[in-house]
Amino acid sequence: TDKVYSVGFSPDGKRVVSGGSDRTVRVWNATSGDQEAKLRGHTAPIWSVAFSPDGQHVVSGSKDRTVRIWSAASGELEAELICNNIVTSIGFSPDSKFIASGSTDG
């Protein structure tokens, strides 16, 4: 990977998600350090990543002005939200039902 801008642990602590300048979301085994998945789709660097509290999803926010929701189990893209500006931060609600994002437009 190139520069890594964001990392986060899965709720069970067994996996780590990362995102960075190479435009991929990667899921790693937290114990061995082995890469488990490489999720492609963003067209610009990824500024923020997170696991959902229930462990079912990964969310990513990017300079390409999108928020993407991925299945944590399969790595498949489940949804793409187009934003008005660069997404700089992302997070889930405690019940995993909502996503909040921050951007460069305030």
Side-chain angles (χ1 to χ4, degrees), residues 1 5 7 10 12 18 21 27 29 33 35 42 45 52 57-58 63 67-68 79 84 86 88 90 100-101 103:
T1 63
Y5 299 133
V7 296
S10 62
D12 63 7
S18 67
S21 63
V27 179
N29 181 297
Q35 182 177 292
H42 282 290
S52 60
H57 299 93
V58 169
K63 187 177 179 180
V67 171
R68 294 175 189 244
N84 291 328
I86 296 168
T88 57
I90 200 98
S101 66
S103 69

Side-chain angles (χ1 to χ4, degrees), residues 44-65:
I46 298 164
W47 292 115
S48 188
V49 293
F51 268 98
S52 60
D54 65 9
Q56 298 299 307
H57 299 93
V58 169
V59 67
S60 54
S62 171
K63 187 177 179 180
D64 67 8
R65 301 180 181 203

Side-chain angles (χ1 to χ4, degrees), residues 67-78:
V67 171
R68 294 175 189 244
I69 305 166
W70 312 84
S71 165
S74 70
E76 290 184 36
L77 181 64
E78 295 185 341

